[in-house]
Each structure stands twice: as structure tokens, then as C-alpha cells.
């Protein structure tokens, strides 16, 4: 039986993707790594037509599956107000170019799906599922995975009751990465600020951190 050829997409040089590549090699697969940044320093070329797809010159006809590490557009969904017409035009050009990159990338992976390829983490849901923590933990729990007791809220009273229930909590932003830390006694004096911006609270689980 031939080893499956699996395409792996992430930002150029992603150490997380290299770990996935090494694990696939150990399992007997034949992974091929691609830079997902059309606008990056390497600027990979893309081609798609009925029944055909190429990324950086590689024909996807023989590739059975694709894994996309979570990624996100680099631009805001709307052009922000600028100082004057000149600065607006200066900002608008890279914005429009980035929109073209995102649309082309989205189209490429959907094209592969219609070609019958297995595409894991398509950009339509991958980033949203990964980045919106509240629904991520609910979906993990619904799928039977053990997760810490979790509460997303903008209600200070509900947050305080959750603290009494769990004893020790960590606090995270409701979206994005970073800023995860232990909820301290000093924070208790600022719980009313939760009403200004929702947070995600979780029961503290002591032990080693393992990112999957």
C-alpha cells in the first residue's frame, strides 16, 4: 500500500507544522509542507482550473489530504477612517491586495474539496473555531473530550459565584491567544470590569501544559 501524500499549510517556518510533519513521517505518510502566505516574503504561486490545482508548482492531483494550521486575515473587515484622502489611498492599496490573497486562498481549498480531497481545518471555520474560546470548549465537551469547568461571561456576579464554586480560576480573553493567567486576589477588586468586556474563566488544572 502506497503512503498517503498529505499537504501541510502554515506560515513559512512554522515550528508547530514541523511537529505535525515529523509525526506523519513516523506514521508512514509522505507530508509536503507549503507556505500559506501568498503575500509573504516567498510569494508562492497558485493555479486552479477545472480538475486541476497547483500551489507553488506542486500538482495536487496526487495529494489525498490537506491539513491547514489555523490562520487569519491580516486586515480588518473594513477600511478605518484616515486623516485625509492621501493617507486613505495609501492604506487602501495593501488592504485590497490582502483581500485578494484571502479570497484566492479560500477558493483554492474549497476547490480541493470539490475535487474530492480531504481538507482539514478549512479557512471558513478553522480560525473561528480555534480563536473563539467559548464555543471551542463547548464543542470539545459535546464531543466527549474532558475539559476544565468553563464559564464565558460579562456578568460580574456570575463570575464571583463561579470562583466560589471552583476555588481557583484562570482567566483568558474570549478570543485570541495570550494573556492566560491565574485570577488573583487583586483581580477580585476589579470584577466589575467584566461588565465592560466579556472574559473566559476556567477551573485551574495543575500540571504540565501540553498543546495539541
Amino acid at each position: 500500500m502506497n503512503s498517503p501524500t498529505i499537504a501541510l499549510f502554515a506560515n513559512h517556518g512554522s515550528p508547530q507544522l514541523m511537529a505535525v510533519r515529523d509525526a506523519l513521517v513516523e506514521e508512514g505518510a509522505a507530508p509536503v509542507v507549503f507556505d500559506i502566505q501568498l503575500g509573504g516574503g516567498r510569494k508562492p504561486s497558485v493555479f486552479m482550473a477545472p480538475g486541476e490545482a497547483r500551489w507553488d508548482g506542486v500538482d495536487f492531483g496526487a495529494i489525498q489530504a490537506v491539513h491547514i494550521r489555523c490562520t487569519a486575515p491580516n486586515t480588518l473587515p473594513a477600511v478605518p477612517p484616515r486623516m485625509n484622502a492621501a493617507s486613505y489611498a495609501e492604506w487602501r492599496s495593501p488592504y485590497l491586495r490582502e483581500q485578494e490573497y484571502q479570497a484566492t486562498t479560500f477558493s483554492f481549498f474549497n476547490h480541493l474539496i470539490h475535487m474530492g480531497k480531504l481538507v482539514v481545518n478549512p479557512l471558513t471555520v478553522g480560525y473561528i473555531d480555534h480563536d473563539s474560546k467559548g464555543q471551542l470548549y463547548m464543542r470539545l465537551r459535546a464531543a466527549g473530550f474532558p475539559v476544565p469547568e468553563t464559564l464565558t461571561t460579562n456578568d460580574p456576579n456570575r463570575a464571583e459565584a463561579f470562583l466560589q464554586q471552583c476555588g481557583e480560576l484562570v482567566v483568558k480573553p474570549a478570543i485570541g491567544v495570550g494573556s492566560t493567567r491565574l485570577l488573583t486576589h487583586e483581580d477580585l477588586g476589579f470584577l466589575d470590569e467584566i461588565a465592560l468586556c466579556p472574559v473566559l474563566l476556567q477551573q485551574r488544572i495543575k500540571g504540565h501544559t501540553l498543546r495539541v
Side-chain angles (χ1 to χ4, degrees):
M1 181 177 178
N2 294 331
S3 299
T5 303
I6 301 174
L8 304 177
F9 282 86
N11 293 348
H12 180 64
S14 166
Q16 293 87 353
L17 199 72
M18 296 304 102
V20 174
R21 178 203 62 188
D22 294 345
L24 288 173
V25 170
E26 289 182 9
E27 293 295 326
V32 184
V33 176
F34 295 91
D35 183 0
I36 201 171
Q37 294 178 295
L38 290 181
R42 297 181 66 253
K43 294 184 174 58
S45 61
V46 173
F47 170 81
M48 60 186 123
E52 297 181 72
R54 291 178 182 269
W55 191 287
D56 220 12
V58 177
D59 184 359
F60 272 65
I63 290 177
Q64 291 97 325
V66 178
H67 174 268
I68 310 160
R69 187 167 190 272
C70 293
T71 187
N74 294 323
T75 55
L76 298 171
V79 179
R82 308 302 291 173
M83 181 73 75
N84 53 40
S87 60
Y88 178 86
E90 182 181 1
W91 195 92
R92 184 173 174 80
S93 176
Y95 171 84
L96 291 175
R97 185 167 58 249
E98 180 71 19
Q99 294 297 90
E100 297 288 343
Y101 295 152
Q102 296 300 329
T104 301
T105 305
F106 168 82
S107 300
F108 184 85
F109 293 124
N110 272 273
H111 182 56
L112 293 180
I113 292 172
H114 289 293
M115 287 176 61
K117 311 295 182 182
L118 171 64
V119 179
V120 180
N121 261 4
L123 299 183
T124 48
V125 297
Y127 183 74
I128 297 172
D129 284 355
H130 170 268
D131 214 40
S132 303
K133 292 189 175 69
Q135 64 87 35
L136 172 64
Y137 284 108
M138 295 306 103
R139 291 178 71 164
L140 288 171
R141 184 185 298 276
F145 291 97
V147 298
E149 292 296 324
T150 303
L151 172 71
T152 300
T153 186
N154 63 350
D155 182 342
N157 293 328
R158 186 68 188 84
E160 188 170 7
F162 189 61
L163 174 62
Q164 297 300 322
Q165 171 189 332
C166 295
E168 271 192 316
L169 298 177
V170 295
V171 58
K172 307 179 180 184
I175 187 169
V177 297
S179 303
T180 300
R181 61 179 179 80
L182 187 67
L183 189 72
T184 66
H185 290 292
E186 289 76 14
D187 294 324
L188 300 182
F190 298 96
L191 280 183
D192 287 346
E193 293 183 3
I194 293 176
L196 303 176
C197 184
V199 296
L200 184 140
L201 301 167
Q202 279 188 325
Q203 180 185 19
R204 183 186 186 189
I205 304 296
K206 297 181 181 179
H208 296 292
T209 298
L210 178 64
R211 297 296 298 272
V212 178

